[in-house]
Amino acid sequence: MRCKSFRMKAAIILLTGFLAYSFSVFSQAEKAFPYIITKKKVVTHGAVVSAHPLASKVGTDILQQGGNAIDAAIATQLALAVVYPNAGNLGGGGFMVARLKDGQQLALDYRERAPDKASRNMYLNEHGAVIEGKSINGHLSAGVPGTVAGLFASAKYGRLSFRKLIQPAIDLAENGFSITAREAASLNSIRDDLKKYNTVLPVFVKKEPWKAGDILVQKELAATLRRIRNQGAKGFYEGTTAQLIVAEMKRGGGIITLEDLKSYHAKFRQPHVFTYKQYTVLGMPMPSSGGILLHQMMKMVETRDIASLGFQSPEAVQLMTEAERRAYADRAEYMGDADFVKVPQQELTDSLYIQSRMKNYVAGKAGNSLLIRPGLPTRKESEETTHLSVLDSDGNAVSVTTTLNNSYGSKTVVAGAGFLLNDEMDDFSAKPGAPNLYGAVGGEANAIAPGKRMLSSMTPTIVLKNNKPYIVVGSPGGTTIPTTLFQTLVNILDFGLSTEDAINKPKFHHQWLPDRIDVEPAYPQSLREALRLMGYTIYERGAIGRTEAIKVLTDGHLEAVADTRGDDAADGF
Ligand code: DON
């Protein structure tokens, strides 16, 4: 009996190993890179999907040590701050949407905010024109970081000590880790910018070009993490770390002060909740446009039997494109930090209003952004991010998107503290109508003001089915995030695609202005042609999104799937 069960166990272990192997993607740097990137894992107890295999592993280890999904999400974010410097961060901000096992629903806002010395026209020249690059690179582009405050605010829902959650990150920074081919290429590509926007050369710049398998050691970052471990949030917002940030600001012409840092707080908000068919969707409210945009877009297609049109049919893509166009028109006009401006959230998500938006939709004929304007009755009112999804055996679901904004943020590293600062100030409208990094326009609602949070597109999302977590999902990608989520969810819920296909099949994006459909390079040519015939302009661009999802299967197993567009990895046990 014993022997039989041992053999069975051995067989299961072998089979699991084989499955993990067969779903793994080996990069060219396979030999130099000592860990496997698993793109899909089906597990029983808990799953973590993030942009880096080491970070997903850290999260999984925490679950195995008895931590819950919140603990795992914290540890994974801290690990990402070390192993994924493009977007994982201490010097940025993010959002967490969570659904706890007791049914509690959380939305935590740890978005950066404008420093007190920020002003409406700070990125304009004397002629009122936007100074190119000023809100994107260097010290002045940084908002007051929110991540560390967010991690501590969420920790009260965790089970393990913060000390335990931060230790893996400290070890990775102190001892170093082997970088992938993709990371090496990425660091090499940013070398000139890092030289340009730093007052002291950071560890990310070395004499020889980086190559796969090189070890990236970050001693200063390890010291900062230790200060956070020993002193809590004060280890970042006060004392040595804060002084290092302010000294960096002084050397580089930035404006963040000790007072800005000390007064930063993460904020719990009401999640943005809506229903879609038999599902309930939990999303992020202001200052992210993500929840409302997803709500508007999904409701615009809900009653139109999109499933019968078929995945990647010109008809379905056109319908979704026109929904995207209308939602993004509203984003540009009405959305911004609701603590500072009145955002008509009720009106924007009113079902009659949403239906009225599609009245002028004509199947087979491209809409026109000059004619399709922001929709509410007029009244006077005042690329690099990363997502992680975690689900534990108790049913706690956590969806976190966190960012420095652009890849490597402002490209400015705080000397002596070892972490990159964000360039999130670019998410404000530097000037009404002037496009930001993502080509998005905005106006009064998203104008710069001291202490205000800049409008985001990040869309960490949890879908409930029968009042239980069903899908935990999110993506980076600037303004393409809500459309990535829209497509991923419609792909699964309506077109019945597998989670891998829903994530990895090429995506498209329309954001009202510019009036065109962006498509990924692999987007089918015949589909582009069909859309052109309807009157659309097609623009080929790079990747759209890097989606990380966990879906609960009908037998209760957790299916964790990582996007193939990066080194993203699924883990769990
Ligand atoms: O908050 C936002 O919407 C942007 N700062 C996110 C940036 C982003 O996703 C870049 N990633 N590729």
Side-chain angles (χ1 to χ4, degrees), residues 87 95 111 288-289 331 383-386 401-407 423-424 427 437-438 454-458 475-481:
F95 299 123
R111 181 71 162 165
S288 180
S289 59
R331 179 191 195 276
E383 238 169 265
E384 186 105 11
T385 302
T386 190
T401 314
T402 175
T403 188
L404 288 167
N405 194 25
N406 210 355
S407 196
D423 63 326
E424 221 72 60
D427 273 347
L437 179 62
Y438 304 100
M454 52 297 280
L455 182 64
S456 174
S457 301
M458 293 190 286
S475 173
T479 48
T480 68
I481 298 172

Side-chain angles (χ1 to χ4, degrees), residues 301-312:
V301 305
E302 187 182 31
T303 52
R304 291 177 184 258
D305 193 15
I306 193 165
S308 72
L309 300 177
F311 172 67
Q312 283 195 348

Side-chain angles (χ1 to χ4, degrees), residues 176-191:
F177 65 98
S178 170
I179 64 169
T180 64
R182 203 187 295 265
E183 284 158 356
S186 170
L187 284 169
N188 293 334
S189 74
I190 206 78
R191 183 189 168 89

Side-chain angles (χ1 to χ4, degrees), residues 159-179:
R159 276 206 287 250
L160 302 185
S161 69
F162 202 88
R163 193 161 258 280
K164 198 161 198 160
L165 305 180
I166 202 171
Q167 197 56 45
I170 296 174
D171 296 342
L172 284 164
E174 185 70 43
N175 306 328
F177 65 98
S178 170
I179 64 169

